[in-house]
Amino acid sequence: MELSGAQILVQSLIDEGVEYIFGYPGGAVLHLYDALFQQDEIKHILVRHEQGATHAADGYARATGKPGVVLVTSGPGATNAVTGIATAYLDSIPMVIISGQVSLPVIGSDAFQEVDMIGITRPCVKHNYLVKDVTKLAETIKKAFYVATTGRPGPVVVDVPKDITAPHIKVPYKYPKKVTIRSYNPVVTGHKGQIKKAVDLLLSAQKPIIYSGGGVILGEASKELTEFTNKLGYPITNTLMGLGAFPGTDKQFIGMLGMHGTYEANMAMHESDVIIAIGARFDDRVTGKLDLFCPYAKIIHIDIDPASISKTVKVDIPIVGDIKPVLEQMLELIKESNKKPDKKALELWWSQIGQWRAVNCLEYDRESPLIKPQYVIEQLYEVTKGDAYVTSDVGQHQMWAAQYYPFDKPRRWINSGGLGTMGFGMPAAIGVKLAFPDADVACVTGEASIQMCIQELSTAFQYKTPIKIINLNNRYMGMVRQWQEFSYESRYSHSYMDTIPEFVKLAEAYGHVGMRIEKPEEVRPALEAAFAMKDRTVFLDIMTDRTENVYPMIEAGKGHHDMKLRVAIGTSTDRELA
Amino acid sequence: MRHIISILMENESGALSRVAGLFSARGYNIESLTVAPTQDPSLSRMTLVTRGSEEIIEQITKQLNKLIDVVKLIDLAESFHIERELMMVKIKATGEMRDEIRSMADIFRGKIIDVTPTTYIVEMTGPSEKLDAFIAAIDPDSVIEAVRSGPTGISRGEKGLHL
Ligand SMILES: Cc1cc2nc3c(=O)[nH]c(=O)nc-3n(C[C@H](O)[C@H](O)[C@H](O)COP(=O)(O)OP(=O)(O)OC[C@H]3O[C@@H](n4cnc5c(N)ncnc54)[C@H](O)[C@@H]3O)c2cc1C
Ligand SMILES: Cc1ncc(C[n+]2csc(CCOP(=O)(O)OP(=O)(O)O)c2C)c(N)n1
Ligand SMILES: [Mg+2]
């Protein structure tokens, strides 16, 4: 079969099983758009800004586990996509981004809409390719998907010069079933000896803790993690990226750890004698001050990326491998072993954890006349029966969503953790809704974040993706304001906006339903009404207590055992904000 | 400590900038870097000299290995190896200096590879310290220019860095 480059690219995506492309046209990709027009297997979602395309594809990828696909034009189209590419890179999300490029003969001549996309994205992709030969196009696309989805996943950019897609140049087409790359062979199975050592150490622990992260979700190993944890009876904490990998409502789950983790999770980390880190990368939001990190613990670390191991925290037993098979091997060994977890020690450990739990670190003022953001999330949980896909933006609202919506399943909690990209939430929700049209999809956001990709409301209307936007409107960049309150003597430098749009009208202007909620008793009915409108996108603009802060918190330079707790319930509303 | 990392990688345009970009992005230092295709034209071999604590060198090798274009690498500092650098120096050579430079080049086993009435070009290979010593031994004012390749290295014994 002889096809043009444009046809080859589109056919390759079809053969790869791609369902959706999120994109935006322009000069360098016109041939490609023409080829897209002439087929109906792949659905193209026209966004309103290329950043939205990347986040929507990313949300789709996080919810499904399948790679997200983006198509943008050269120059400004390509640069607009960079934030979303970096967002996916830092959270290890599989994506393939196809960017148009100026024609090969003019590359390097500052041609119209030329930017060095390969150079610009090099530090924020797993790999990138410039296609220089149309006969290699199909193979390059295959390689891009292979690299993006295997090992530690990540975004891959394929930069395609316009002349490569020219309609009059036709070459034979065959999509490879498989590719191998001699320089790329991700390790899968773990080292047997190391696994044995790890199991021995685990079974001799007195105060063990399982610290698991996004890798469990990326590696589809929730079932194995749950079985492993239940079998051992050990406490488990998750990173922000790992929420849902282990059921959030299970009694062995002691909450998120890290900067805004629970008191019990952080104390247990601090006091533990054996930690097993599973697909987590000892991020600085998690460890707090490194010198103070887990002073008594021996650490086991399972990760598919050797570079994640001993990067910030030196570990005692590294296991390089894919979590699923490694946990299966460990479970096998645990079952065979005549050693059993130390029951007595474990009882003591759990009773200690029980005391930390009793501090009730997530309690907040339930009597307040103002809407407490935490209350909104709890109500969202109830109204959606804990079974919604929840995307979020970045800020306090993100932390509250993570703290007050316990996720029982993986891939339900969708947020930008590593890059912390404001503007992520709503386009991501569109991607999720396209993947799961029958599921409840909520985007928890703030009045600042939502404005960063607000234009995608138009995309949500065009493609009828009825999402529910929960805008926790505190009239502040709350997260910034909180830091300024704690560390800058409440000098609120530019952390508010003088004018905030009327979101209800804005939502209506885009064709959606808008609701403004000002009283606590309106929250529940509004949420119920919103989720009852199955075929409408609803924007709930919820006026929350603007003085509320995220607790507990590990402040900069502190360790896990030194958390800042809420002083006393009921005082926050008395506080005056300048 | 000083480490010489020898890298076998795909001979693709852009591979070099991935390595260089990695070093600048992660704040590692590069003292020198040499690269050329190997006898298998699809591969090139790079030798990179860097400095850092054990932890940093460990991260550097892991991060390099992570680059898709990198096929294999070794840290030569970990085993017996031979290190050589090539230098060409253009030296002012008039009057009695002509003989003196010639004999100095002989002592250092250098070769004079270009002669004009007023200059010599001396070619010399050896460990970097030897090249330093030669430069130190001649009058600094007489050096018009010197180019150095940066060290390359190879491990001793039967083992080698290949596919
Ligand atoms: C405002 C804000 C506040 C935050 N506060 C917190 C906080 O309080 N607590 C917190 O935890 N985070 C917090 N974060 C998020 C934080 O920045 C990091 O994104 C997060 O901690 C990283 O999660 P992770 O360690 O699970 O790693 P991920 O980024 O999810 O990385 C996954 C790891 O698993 C490995 N992996 C991937 N696939 C596999 C596989 N198949 N097998 C084996 N290994 C695999 C990868 O190599 C990688 O090392 C916050 C972020 C923001 C924006
Ligand atoms: C693109 C981008 N710019 C700046 C920041 C820094 N930042 C983190 S949280 C935040 C404020 C978010 O405000 P809002 O969306 O209203 O959420 P809130 O904290 O009030 O819940 C800012 C500016 C960021 N994370 N992303
Ligand atoms: Mg806000």
Side-chain angles (χ1 to χ4, degrees):
Chain A
M1 187 172 33
E2 299 240 313
L3 298 178
S4 74
Q7 290 167 325
I8 287 177
L9 210 157
V10 171
Q11 193 56 45
S12 297
L13 296 177
I14 294 170
D15 290 345
E16 188 59 44
V18 172
E19 198 183 357
Y20 288 106
I21 302 181
F22 300 86
Y24 207 90
V29 288
L30 282 175
H31 298 322
L32 274 169
Y33 270 85
D34 197 45
L36 272 176
F37 190 81
Q38 300 180 41
Q39 58 84 46
D40 48 18
E41 286 181 69
I42 297 189
K43 288 167 256 167
H44 177 273
I45 305 296
L46 177 68
V47 293
R48 299 300 182 267
H49 184 297
E50 289 85 352
Q51 182 181 350
T54 54
H55 294 330
D58 186 332
Y60 173 89
R62 291 181 202 235
T64 60
K66 293 189 247 172
V69 181
V70 174
L71 173 57
V72 295
T73 191
S74 69
T79 54
N80 271 351
V82 171
T83 300
I85 296 171
T87 302
Y89 180 66
L90 274 174
D91 290 340
S92 306
I93 305 303
M95 297 221 295
V96 172
I97 301 94
I98 293 151
S99 52
Q101 184 53 279
V102 299
S103 289
L104 281 168
V106 299
I107 285 186
S109 67
D110 300 324
F112 178 63
Q113 298 195 326
E114 178 182 4
V115 294
D116 174 12
M117 184 62 167
I118 296 295
I120 285 177
T121 58
R122 193 184 301 118
C124 61
V125 292
K126 184 168 173 186
H127 198 55
N128 55 23
Y129 294 97
L130 172 65
V131 181
K132 289 184 184 161
D133 177 353
V134 64
T135 64
K136 301 240 171 74
L137 180 56
E139 187 192 331
T140 307
I141 297 293
K142 182 77 200 175
K143 281 185 180 169
F145 278 94
Y146 172 57
V147 170
T149 54
T150 50
R152 178 178 184 169
V156 176
V157 165
V158 184
D159 203 28
V160 186
K162 186 168 186 180
D163 50 346
I164 293 286
T165 60
H168 57 279
I169 302 169
K170 301 210 170 178
V171 297
Y173 168 77
K174 190 166 175 277
Y175 194 64
K177 281 213 167 57
K178 238 188 103 184
V179 279
T180 50
I181 301 175
R182 64 179 171 185
S183 56
Y184 173 72
N185 301 292
V187 181
V188 177
T189 53
H191 187 279
K192 280 215 175 88
Q194 292 291 91
I195 291 179
K196 171 109 199 5
K197 270 206 268 180
V199 167
D200 281 347
L201 178 62
L202 267 179
L203 291 177
S204 60
Q206 307 283 300
K207 298 173 178 179
I209 184 163
I210 299 166
Y211 147 47
S212 70
V216 178
I217 294 171
L218 297 166
E220 305 284 358
S222 291
K223 189 174 134 278
E224 289 72 16
L225 176 71
T226 307
E227 199 185 336
F228 175 82
T229 308
N230 290 339
K231 175 88 197 158
L232 287 169
Y234 294 174
I236 178 169
T237 177
N238 282 168
T239 66
L240 182 72
M241 299 315 293
L243 296 174
F246 182 84
T249 54
D250 189 295
K251 60 185 183 315
Q252 276 175 261
F253 183 63
I254 60 171
M256 181 170 83
L257 82 168
M259 181 173 280
H260 290 300
T262 62
Y263 181 67
E264 50 271 34
N266 286 329
M267 287 304 287
M269 284 293 283
H270 187 78
E271 295 291 331
S272 66
D273 67 345
V274 174
I275 296 172
I276 176 162
I278 308 177
R281 57 186 175 84
F282 296 85
D283 183 81
D284 53 67
R285 305 278 107 166
V286 163
T287 58
K289 192 170 166 61
L290 283 174
D291 304 341
L292 302 172
F293 180 74
C294 299
Y296 319 112
K298 286 237 178 312
I299 304 176
I300 303 162
H301 188 184
I302 310 173
D303 205 292
I304 202 160
D305 178 4
S308 278
I309 293 178
S310 293
K311 180 162 65 177
T312 56
V313 171
K314 188 109 191 111
V315 303
D316 300 283
I317 306 182
I319 301 171
V320 177
D322 184 9
I323 294 170
K324 202 183 175 103
V326 171
L327 281 185
E328 277 166 0
Q329 276 170 282
M330 292 184 99
L331 255 172
E332 203 56 34
L333 285 180
I334 291 168
K335 285 178 188 158
E336 284 167 11
S337 174
N338 32 29
K339 231 165 150 183
K340 296 278 164 265
D342 185 337
K343 253 205 164 133
K344 263 249 163 65
L346 211 52
E347 250 168 51
L348 273 172
W349 184 223
W350 272 113
S351 90
Q352 169 67 77
I353 291 170
Q355 287 173 26
W356 291 323
R357 265 182 171 160
V359 167
N360 220 351
C361 68
L362 294 180
E363 196 46 32
Y364 63 92
D365 181 7
R366 291 167 192 278
E367 310 299 317
S368 170
L370 302 176
I371 301 177
K372 288 289 182 181
Q374 300 93 330
Y375 173 75
V376 178
I377 305 294
E378 284 177 348
Q379 292 306 308
L380 175 66
Y381 178 82
E382 284 184 17
V383 169
T384 57
K385 302 188 176 61
D387 204 29
Y389 288 82
V390 179
T391 72
S392 94
D393 270 301
V394 174
Q396 292 182 316
H397 60 271
Q398 176 187 24
M399 294 298 109
W400 287 317
Q403 292 174 327
Y404 295 89
Y405 197 115
F407 293 91
D408 277 338
K409 295 180 193 155
R411 303 197 176 282
R412 293 298 165 113
W413 166 238
I414 288 164
N415 80 136
S416 163
L419 198 68
T421 309
M422 291 168 69
F424 174 82
M426 196 245 295
I430 294 174
V432 176
K433 189 71 188 177
L434 285 166
F436 299 107
D438 299 329
D440 284 337
V441 180
C443 164
V444 175
T445 184
E447 80 296 331
S449 292
I450 192 69
Q451 293 188 65
M452 286 216 177
C453 274
I454 191 86
Q455 73 287 347
E456 302 308 330
L457 280 175
S458 181
T459 310
F461 187 73
Q462 179 171 351
Y463 297 98
K464 302 190 174 56
T465 53
I467 54 176
K468 313 301 168 195
I469 297 162
I470 319 291
N471 187 35
L472 300 180
N473 189 339
N474 52 7
R475 286 83 71 209
Y476 269 112
M477 295 176 199
M479 184 58 91
V480 175
R481 189 200 54 68
Q482 175 168 347
W483 280 66
Q484 290 171 335
E485 179 183 333
F486 291 176
S487 309
Y488 298 87
E489 298 171 319
S490 299
R491 288 186 296 276
Y492 297 139
S493 179
H494 300 276
S495 52
Y496 70 98
M497 290 179 202
D498 267 342
T499 57
I500 293 173
E502 281 186 47
F503 288 112
V504 170
K505 281 193 188 159
L506 193 57
E508 285 168 0
Y510 277 111
H512 305 304
V513 179
M515 297 184 192
R516 184 177 161 100
I517 295 106
E518 297 181 341
K519 298 200 199 83
E521 61 273 19
E522 295 168 4
V523 171
R524 177 71 180 237
L527 282 167
E528 279 169 354
F531 281 95
M533 283 183 249
K534 290 283 172 211
D535 54 355
R536 299 298 295 274
T537 287
V538 183
F539 193 116
L540 292 117
D541 189 19
I542 307 177
M543 299 300 127
T544 59
D545 179 354
R546 63 191 322 221
T547 68
E548 191 53 284
N549 286 328
V550 183
Y551 288 105
M553 175 175 184
I554 304 176
E555 288 183 284
K558 298 271 172 76
H560 281 162
H561 59 306
D562 200 6
M563 289 200 90
K564 187 178 179 111
L565 298 171
R566 188 181 292 282
V567 188
I569 304 289
T571 53
S572 67
T573 44
D574 306 329
R575 234 175 49 238
E576 281 290 313
L577 280 185
Chain B
M1 218 186 97
R2 175 174 178 271
H3 286 255
I4 307 179
I5 299 171
S6 200
I7 306 167
L8 201 60
M9 59 190 203
E10 297 292 346
N11 186 11
E12 302 260 356
S13 68
L16 175 62
S17 53
R18 287 181 210 281
V19 173
L22 176 78
F23 273 71
S24 64
R26 293 187 182 267
Y28 309 139
N29 69 66
I30 302 186
E31 274 186 14
S32 73
L33 188 156
T34 70
V35 60
T38 64
Q39 70 277 24
D40 172 351
S42 71
L43 291 169
S44 36
R45 174 125 175 195
M46 177 186 283
T47 310
L48 198 149
V49 179
T50 179
R51 266 175 211 279
S53 64
E54 287 310 306
E55 290 78 42
I56 291 187
I57 300 295
E58 186 181 324
Q59 265 299 309
I60 290 179
T61 53
K62 283 174 169 178
Q63 294 292 349
L64 283 169
N65 259 318
K66 233 173 113 168
L67 294 177
I68 309 289
D69 286 337
V70 168
V71 182
K72 261 184 191 170
L73 63 83
I74 49 166
D75 181 351
L76 287 176
E78 281 175 355
S79 61
F80 291 114
H81 67 277
I82 294 169
E83 220 184 295
R84 288 289 181 271
E85 183 172 355
L86 167 71
M87 173 169 75
M88 289 185 276
V89 215
K90 189 186 290 175
I91 304 170
K92 272 189 231 153
T94 48
E96 65 236 41
M97 285 302 287
R98 288 182 85 81
D99 278 350
E100 196 182 320
I101 289 163
R102 228 166 71 195
S103 63
M104 194 66 83
D106 274 350
I107 295 170
F108 280 85
R109 295 178 199 282
K111 270 194 294 192
I112 294 176
I113 55 170
D114 185 61
V115 177
T116 71
T118 55
T119 63
Y120 284 153
I121 294 176
V122 176
E123 173 201 303
M124 190 174 291
T125 62
S128 306
E129 308 82 67
K130 175 179 139 181
L131 309 187
D132 296 341
F134 176 72
I135 292 280
I138 55 175
D139 173 10
D141 289 339
S142 65
V143 176
I144 298 172
E145 60 174 325
V147 283
R148 295 172 66 149
S149 63
T152 66
I154 194 161
S155 64
R156 298 177 67 174
E158 284 187 6
K159 275 203 290 187
L161 187 62
H162 45 68
L163 272 185

